[in-house]
Amino acid sequence: MKKCLFLFALLWAGTVHAQPALNRIEYFVDTDPGFGAATLIPGASGTAVADLSVEVPLTGISAGFHRLFIRARNANNQWGGAAQWPFYKDAISGAANLSRIEYFVDADPGFGSATNVPFTAGIAADDVPFTLPLDNTSIGFHNLFVRAQNTEGRWSVVARRPFYKDEVNQQDIVRLEYFIDTDPGYGAATSVAINRGPAIINLDYTVDLNGVANGAHRLYVRAQNAQGRWSVISARDFTVQNNVIVVSGPNDWCRNTAFNIGFVATGTYNPGNIFTVQLSNATGGFLSGVTSLTTISSTTSGAASVTIPNSVATGSGYRLRVVSSNPNLTNMPEISLSVSGVCVCTTLATVKSGDWGDQTVWTCNRIPNSSDAVRLRHLVTVPSGLTGNVRSLGYEYNGALRFGVGGRLRAGF
């Protein structure tokens, strides 16, 4: 049923000092059926009515121009003059598919002549992305207008969005700074050492958490260029807690073959605590389909040899984590793991401190050779008289290398 919503106010005008209360309000369209015979509007009370809303059914009323009349009666059976509102009823057959979306900036070129926006036809268009070229638009404030047309040829109301075009030239980044939770002001946050240049990609830096309480927080980072302009602020949520588990292991391995995984557990773990090495389901989730690879009863950091069973399907979407039982924690972040049918060691890193020649020190459960890119995450000793070979050597976390008398390491051979 088609309806129109009208808002109106009625004030009884009379010559007596004490005005009687209204006891009836009614309306009719076009033709007066007589006093008291029009459609009743509930809500008549007091000597005046303000902002009373009424839905007027338009079923049976033809398309075109009409007039709505409203009048009121008081307790003395006196009728006021009828207020009237002209309106137009349009003939809309139903929801028709949209056939065109177009936009223009500032000046309207006319319906159908603005820039077309590609989209999937339907009765609605939600979240339609499009690129707005601004090469020929001057610096300053402007308005973007968007409208749509349906298959009946009808146009929607025009949506308007103001925007500002700024002049941005590629400039070197001269400052990078961060703050936690509360902004101290531009230029007053903690500075990060950078090499000046037009872009900063994959920069590693340490965030000082001294004085930051346990719990959820937000890290904000922004940059400034040589013109003094500041970037948009990037934000990342994080949690501070006393106990942290950091895991190291390979990024790909095969089934039914042992490999080593190490973990660094900081904080206090209570007697009876059990660390469990878990493999996610094939999509990286831990809510269901989790495989427990091994358990370790300990309150300190450690390493373990684990084997992926044949029942686990091959795939590249797995994740590996270590959880503790007392307190109940998990490592953050989890590490990605691809499970394949053939063992290819592409990540040879330490899982614990120890001797270079001890295969349990290494993720792939073997001693590095001259073709391996090795990552040191722990203290490793090259014993006296041993010569180690690697293609390259890198350091992470607390990685360090110590040599015994006559111990050597050959790299790049």
Side-chain angles (χ1 to χ4, degrees):
M1 175 186 295
K2 295 183 176 63
K3 300 179 180 179
C4 281
L5 179 67
F6 293 88
L7 298 174
F8 62 91
L10 295 174
L11 177 65
W12 185 263
T15 57
V16 295
H17 294 287
Q19 297 182 10
L22 302 178
N23 64 4
R24 180 179 175 85
I25 302 174
E26 62 182 25
Y27 75 86
F28 60 91
V29 176
D30 295 338
T31 303
D32 189 348
F35 291 102
T39 303
L40 175 68
I41 300 175
S45 63
T47 59
V49 177
D51 296 330
L52 182 66
S53 62
V54 57
E55 287 187 347
V56 178
L58 298 182
T59 303
I61 296 178
S62 62
F65 288 99
H66 298 273
R67 288 183 179 273
L68 171 70
F69 296 86
I70 301 177
R71 61 192 171 204
R73 184 187 65 189
N74 66 18
N76 290 339
N77 205 31
Q78 296 173 315
W79 287 92
Q84 59 176 298
W85 289 267
F87 68 92
Y88 182 81
K89 178 185 176 182
D90 200 358
I92 300 177
S93 58
N97 284 343
L98 299 180
S99 59
R100 179 180 175 85
I101 297 177
E102 63 179 27
Y103 72 85
F104 59 92
V105 175
D106 296 336
D108 190 347
F111 290 98
S113 298
T115 303
N116 181 59
V117 176
F119 74 104
T120 302
I123 61 173
D126 297 323
D127 298 327
V128 178
F130 63 92
T131 301
L132 178 62
L134 296 178
D135 294 342
N136 298 320
T137 304
S138 61
I139 303 299
F141 288 99
H142 298 273
N143 286 293
L144 170 67
F145 297 88
V146 182
R147 61 190 170 208
Q149 184 185 41
N150 66 15
T151 52
E152 293 180 345
R154 298 177 181 271
W155 287 94
S156 70
V157 175
V158 180
R160 180 180 70 92
R161 293 293 184 273
F163 68 93
Y164 182 82
K165 178 184 175 182
D166 200 358
E167 183 176 12
V168 179
N169 297 320
Q170 186 76 350
Q171 296 286 328
D172 282 351
I173 296 173
V174 297
R175 179 179 174 83
L176 185 71
E177 64 179 28
Y178 72 84
F179 61 91
I180 296 173
D181 297 335
T182 304
D183 190 347
Y186 288 97
T190 303
S191 178
V192 177
I194 61 171
N195 293 323
R196 175 171 174 158
I200 298 175
I201 302 175
N202 296 331
L203 175 68
D204 293 328
Y205 58 93
T206 301
V207 175
D208 184 7
L209 296 181
N210 289 326
V212 179
N214 284 355
H217 298 275
R218 180 166 291 183
L219 171 69
Y220 298 87
V221 183
R222 60 190 170 210
Q224 184 185 40
N225 68 12
Q227 285 187 330
R229 297 177 182 269
W230 288 94
S231 69
V232 175
I233 298 177
S234 175
R236 292 291 185 274
D237 293 323
F238 68 96
T239 301
V240 175
Q241 59 188 40
N242 291 330
N243 294 56
V244 178
I245 306 172
V246 179
V247 175
S248 58
N251 293 119
D252 54 85
W253 200 244
C254 60
R255 297 173 296 190
N256 205 32
T257 302
F259 66 94
N260 299 322
I261 183 171
F263 59 93
V264 178
T266 61
T268 302
Y269 296 83
N270 301 317
N273 174 69
I274 296 176
F275 292 107
T276 303
V277 181
Q278 294 181 336
L279 181 68
S280 72
N281 58 34
T283 59
F286 286 92
L287 295 179
S288 62
V290 177
T291 302
S292 293
L293 299 181
T294 192
T295 59
I296 305 169
S297 180
S298 175
T299 58
T300 60
S301 305
S305 177
V306 297
T307 300
I308 300 173
N310 285 328
S311 58
V312 173
T314 59
S316 60
Y318 290 95
R319 300 186 73 81
L320 199 65
R321 72 179 186 181
V322 173
V323 298
S324 63
S325 63
N326 192 8
N328 184 12
L329 295 172
T330 181
N331 69 280
M332 294 297 291
E334 301 141 358
I335 61 174
S336 299
L337 181 68
S338 295
V339 177
S340 61
V342 179
C343 286
V344 179
C345 181
T346 60
T347 307
L348 191 57
T350 59
V351 298
K352 64 179 181 178
S353 297
D355 286 347
W356 187 276
D358 181 358
Q359 67 181 31
T360 64
V361 168
W362 306 100
T363 54
C364 300
N365 201 35
R366 65 170 175 81
I367 300 171
N369 57 48
S370 59
S371 64
D372 291 319
V374 173
R375 307 297 296 178
L376 293 183
R377 297 168 178 167
H378 305 80
L379 173 62
V380 176
T381 300
V382 180
S384 299
L386 176 68
T387 299
N389 295 281
V390 295
R391 177 167 57 88
S392 63
L393 184 67
Y395 294 85
E396 299 178 12
Y397 310 128
N398 296 317
L401 193 60
R402 178 183 298 166
F403 291 89
V405 178
R408 297 189 304 166
L409 183 65
R410 289 160 46 98
F413 291 91

